[in-house]
Amino acid sequence: MESKIQNPQSKIPPWPRIDLKDKVTGQAQYIEDLPDLPNTAFGAALLSPYSHAKILRIDSSEALTMPGVLGVVDRDHLDGVNPRLKLAPHEHLKITDDQDFVAIDKVRYDGDLVALVVAADRRTAERALEKIHVDYEPLPPIFDAVAALKPGAPILHEERGSNLLVEDSLAWGNIDEGFKQADRIFEETYSSPSMFHHPMEPVGGFLAQYVNGEANVWLPTSSPTRDAAEFAHFLGIEPDKVRVRVPYVGGGFGSKIPTPAHFAALFLSRKIGRPVRLIPSAEESFRQNSRHAEVFRAKVGVKADGTLTALDVELIVDTGAYTTGGLTAVHNSVISAWGCYRLPHLRIRGKGVYTNKVPAGHTRATGKIQTTWGIECTMDSVARQMSIDPYEFRKKNVLLRGDFVCTGTPKMDTDYLDLMADAIAGIAWDGKANPAPSMNGPRWARGRGMALSLRHGSQGGGRAYALVTLDARGVLTIQHNAPEIGQGTHNLFSVVASQTLNLPQSQIRVRTPDTAVNLPFAGVSAQRTTMQMGNAVHNACKTLQEDLLGLAAQVKGGEAKDWQIVDGRLCWGESSFSIAEIIRAVGPSVVLKAVGYHSVPPMVKDSAFAGMDHWAPSGAAVDLEVNRDTGELRILGYAVIADAGKTIHYPSAKAQVDGGAVMGFGHALFEETIYQDGQLQNGDPFQYRLPVMKDLPELFYSSMLEKGDGPGPFGSKGMAQTSIVTVGPAIGNAVYDALGVRVRSLPIT
């Protein structure tokens, strides 16, 4: 796989990541590597084999009498605890809680937690599951969100009266007037399946101890601050009585959130007075979380010259059995379904719908992968039906730098024309829809396609805090609550501190998250980490620098403005001192401290984009061939360009672009969770297809725009999720270019 790594604009040395050695040598400790606490008990989960069924009877008595079994929690052993889990609030949409941490009246998906056993060892806990007897009355399941809204469909939550979870919308202009102005009107429909995040580390690992009214929790998560609050609410204690620590995380993509089994384990830890550990299997992992399936229906109005006049979109978002990430997915889908185009008249309406699938949570680019597939294929189809090259159609209609987007958002702060030009150049294409000669003979048809994406940058989250300390050794320590889930978060903090203070990274230590330090952060999601935590670290280091320079002037003379830090030393004129020497002059135990923070923009009333600070776009192009007889598809070349503003650590940023594109190949060509005969059919790693190296093209070009125009440290932007969304529509558009056939559902098999 060819990858052109160039960084002509970056002046920051591409030092290796600070976690590189630990990870490649196996020294990095993940949740399963952490040592057991004294008297640790082990949990095993009894999951529903049905996607929809009433629970008639549960009998755990035989399991409770087994030697080594310490406790069981099910609907009959709740000790008066309310089983209903509390949903996190959403900025725009309100809904009531709908999930219990153990099933009470019925199960709603294949994998719903029915009971949890804890025992002195893992094998005993697993054997005890066989001794729990459950009588079910199977009910008809519903796996299609469109069908779930029709009269007579099985209802998952009877108290709601229907399978409709929530509705959301976005509009400007006058949609009827927009269609009156159009010379032609087109209608398009596209669908995306549910799928699994599939991180290398299973979902659901957990170690917790409840003692003396306090809980200590170790788990892989994206947001320890959020999780501590949820666990505290469940236990009925104050948030500062829950301490969450995060080891290395073996990938997340949105999947690493508290699961019902985590709450059950905490419940039992408090009951038996011992720590409880969960070690989930791969099959259990598939039943913890998923991505939302979605249907995208668009009606587009266009003038004869190709100018867009109106877009009307209806979205059906499949949240699975419970709300989980449904509110965010519906909202994100609604605010991204219009793509990156100038549209004077717009209406988007979205519905979140319950089905008997594994509950869908947040997934990398939540709600935007599906809408980018829909809108980019729609625009390509409209252009071709009007006999306009899709590249020219986009150039005519795409948002330009400085364009007003809508109320509550910054103006467009990227250059789509550059993104498109760089992307097509990456596969040596001029963007014209001209037939290209096949590389493999007449049975093969060659096609090229492109796609653009637009998502908001970081949004919401309140304030992010970081604490930096500088001790008498000259060592800078950064404390925070931003987990390292593989994307290079901790290395980013180290580089920001190094560049801000002019210190070598060898003198910088980055702690792992620990909520005991009370530094709130919304979590490493929504592309907010570089913006919010990066700025918080930068802010803290600037404050510390002022303190340090003032201290140097106090100890050695001069004024603070006359001092500077050069290569880790304090300099005044021709004099140079080590940081350690300056601090020790005050006292050997002196530590300089500074807390930095970053606040998101103020929330604009009635704005769907409230709290947003920048846009985060990308562009992609693909060259492929399809066998006319067999349908076999070969990717010849792929190029993706992301707007990074300014890369802080180029290798890490580029790896994010590359990794997102590879994940996008999985979404485009292979991945889906299949439900049939009332059950999840491919919920294990042997049947769930992921892309492997041979599936990737030899020509794989990735790069980033760096114009230093972002609101993050040194002009950076959030870009972690930009490259994943363009793969599917670029391939779909190229397939049409090759065969004249429009693929309308993913994956393209």
Side-chain angles (χ1 to χ4, degrees), residues 382-402:
V382 168
R384 290 180 182 275
Q385 290 180 70
M386 297 189 70
S387 299
I388 302 174
D389 277 348
Y391 183 33
E392 297 301 322
F393 185 83
R394 287 181 171 87
K395 286 197 291 185
K396 187 177 189 67
N397 289 291
V398 77
L399 289 162
L400 303 176
R401 180 179 286 272

Side-chain angles (χ1 to χ4, degrees), residues 3-4 48 131 444 457 580 702 723:
S3 185
K4 304 176 183 179
S48 166
K131 305 299 182 181
W444 292 80
S702 65
S723 63

Side-chain angles (χ1 to χ4, degrees), residues 292-480:
H292 300 81
E294 189 162 325
V295 176
F296 176 104
R297 298 190 184 112
K299 181 179 177 182
V300 187
V302 194
K303 290 184 178 179
D305 65 355
T307 302
L308 291 168
T309 65
L311 175 66
D312 192 7
V313 177
E314 292 185 359
L315 304 168
I316 303 295
V317 181
D318 182 348
T319 192
Y322 299 103
T323 297
T324 50
L327 303 185
T328 300
V330 172
H331 181 68
N332 283 1
S333 296
V334 165
I335 66 174
S336 63
W338 53 282
C340 52
Y341 300 98
R342 291 193 302 275
L343 289 156
H345 305 283
L346 175 78
R347 180 174 66 184
I348 303 172
R349 294 167 290 178
K351 294 181 179 180
V353 183
Y354 291 115
T355 66
N356 292 111
K357 295 179 180 176
V358 174
H362 297 169
T363 311
R364 198 172 182 183
T366 301
K368 299 182 177 68
I369 299 175
Q370 303 92 321
T371 54
T372 304
W373 159 248
I375 191 64
E376 284 302 299
C377 290
T378 293
M379 291 301 172
D380 192 90
S381 178
V382 168
R384 290 180 182 275
Q385 290 180 70
M386 297 189 70
S387 299
I388 302 174
D389 277 348
Y391 183 33
E392 297 301 322
F393 185 83
R394 287 181 171 87
K395 286 197 291 185
K396 187 177 189 67
N397 289 291
V398 77
L399 289 162
L400 303 176
R401 180 179 286 272
D403 278 355
F404 172 79
V405 181
C406 70
T407 302
T409 71
K411 292 183 177 181
M412 180 49 55
D413 56 3
T414 197
D415 296 295
Y416 274 106
L417 300 182
D418 291 349
L419 284 171
M420 287 192 288
D422 289 356
I424 63 174
I427 61 167
W429 180 34
D430 62 4
K432 301 295 183 181
N434 297 324
S438 168
M439 305 286 284
N440 295 293
R443 293 177 57 196
W444 292 80
R446 190 172 178 184
R448 291 165 299 194
M450 64 183 302
L452 298 174
S453 76
L454 176 66
R455 64 153 291 154
H456 60 74
S458 61
Q459 183 182 31
R463 274 192 174 188
Y465 290 89
L467 169 67
V468 295
T469 60
L470 189 62
D471 61 26
R473 299 170 298 164
V475 173
L476 182 84
T477 300
I478 303 171
Q479 297 187 68
H480 59 94

Side-chain angles (χ1 to χ4, degrees), residues 144 189-196 291-296 357 364-365 367-378 451 622 624 633 635 638 660-675 682 688-689 723-736 741-749:
D144 183 300
T189 299
Y190 297 90
S191 64
S192 306
S194 61
M195 51 156 283
F196 178 51
R291 189 192 78 178
H292 300 81
E294 189 162 325
V295 176
F296 176 104
K357 295 179 180 176
R364 198 172 182 183
K368 299 182 177 68
I369 299 175
Q370 303 92 321
T371 54
T372 304
W373 159 248
I375 191 64
E376 284 302 299
C377 290
T378 293
V622 66
L624 56 77
L633 187 151
I635 308 294
Y638 185 77
V662 172
M663 196 171 190
F665 274 97
H667 296 176
L669 300 175
F670 308 111
E671 294 185 60
E672 63 178 324
T673 48
I674 298 171
Y675 290 84
N682 63 336
Y688 188 89
R689 176 78 156 89
S723 63
I724 190 173
V725 298
T726 47
V727 184
I731 293 176
N733 293 335
V735 168
Y736 183 89
V741 175
R742 182 63 62 179
V743 179
R744 299 187 179 276
S745 62
L746 293 176
I748 304 170
T749 59

Side-chain angles (χ1 to χ4, degrees), residues 549-632:
L549 297 180
L551 182 63
Q554 176 187 335
V555 171
K556 296 294 184 179
E559 297 183 20
K561 63 182 178 62
D562 301 323
W563 286 80
Q564 58 182 326
I565 306 172
V566 180
D567 295 330
R569 294 183 64 82
L570 286 159
C571 300
W572 176 37
E574 299 297 320
S575 301
S576 173
F577 307 92
S578 71
I579 291 174
E581 180 181 351
I582 297 298
I583 295 179
R584 285 174 183 161
V586 183
S589 61
V590 169
V591 176
L592 304 186
K593 295 185 177 183
V595 174
Y597 67 88
H598 174 78
S599 293
V600 301
M603 304 295 277
V604 178
K605 186 178 180 181
D606 298 327
S607 171
F609 299 90
M612 179 195 140
D613 50 19
H614 71 287
W615 298 99
S618 67
V622 66
D623 186 5
L624 56 77
E625 290 194 332
V626 185
N627 188 302
R628 300 177 191 273
D629 299 327
T630 67
E632 180 186 352

Side-chain angles (χ1 to χ4, degrees), residues 457-515:
S458 61
Q459 183 182 31
R463 274 192 174 188
Y465 290 89
L467 169 67
V468 295
T469 60
L470 189 62
D471 61 26
R473 299 170 298 164
V475 173
L476 182 84
T477 300
I478 303 171
Q479 297 187 68
H480 59 94
N481 275 307
E484 170 57 74
I485 61 174
Q487 79 279 49
T489 294
H490 294 180
N491 184 72
L492 180 140
F493 300 160
S494 177
V495 173
V496 168
S498 173
Q499 294 297 311
T500 305
L501 291 170
N502 208 351
L503 288 177
Q505 283 186 265
S506 59
Q507 289 179 229
I508 299 172
R509 307 286 183 268
V510 181
R511 298 288 189 216
T512 56
D514 183 345
T515 58

Side-chain angles (χ1 to χ4, degrees), residues 115-250:
L116 190 82
V117 176
V118 290
D121 60 83
R122 187 179 176 190
R123 177 173 293 183
T124 299
E126 290 173 348
R127 287 179 174 173
L129 297 181
E130 301 172 4
K131 305 299 182 181
I132 299 177
H133 305 290
V134 185
D135 291 337
Y136 297 97
E137 179 186 324
L139 299 171
I142 186 81
F143 298 127
D144 183 300
V146 175
L149 291 176
K150 293 181 178 178
I155 303 297
L156 274 74
H157 300 270
E158 288 82 359
E159 68 277 12
R160 295 183 182 272
S162 78
N163 290 317
L164 179 64
L165 165 66
V166 70
E167 294 182 275
D168 194 11
S169 62
L170 174 68
W172 59 69
N174 183 312
I175 196 67
D176 294 329
E177 179 61 28
F179 285 120
K180 288 179 182 178
Q181 296 172 5
D183 295 310
R184 297 187 65 181
I185 295 174
F186 303 90
E187 296 191 23
E188 301 276 329
T189 299
Y190 297 90
S191 64
S192 306
S194 61
M195 51 156 283
F196 178 51
H197 309 68
H198 214 312
M200 292 178 68
E201 177 189 42
V203 177
F206 190 70
L207 176 62
Q209 180 180 37
Y210 184 94
V211 60
N212 298 327
E214 297 185 357
N216 284 285
V217 175
W218 292 260
L219 83 161
T221 179
S222 61
S223 180
T225 302
R226 172 203 64 202
D227 297 350
E230 290 185 7
F231 291 142
H233 180 270
F234 173 74
L235 294 167
I237 58 180
E238 293 298 318
D240 62 358
K241 298 295 185 182
V242 177
R243 183 180 184 184
V244 175
R245 280 165 279 191
V246 185
Y248 277 115
V249 181

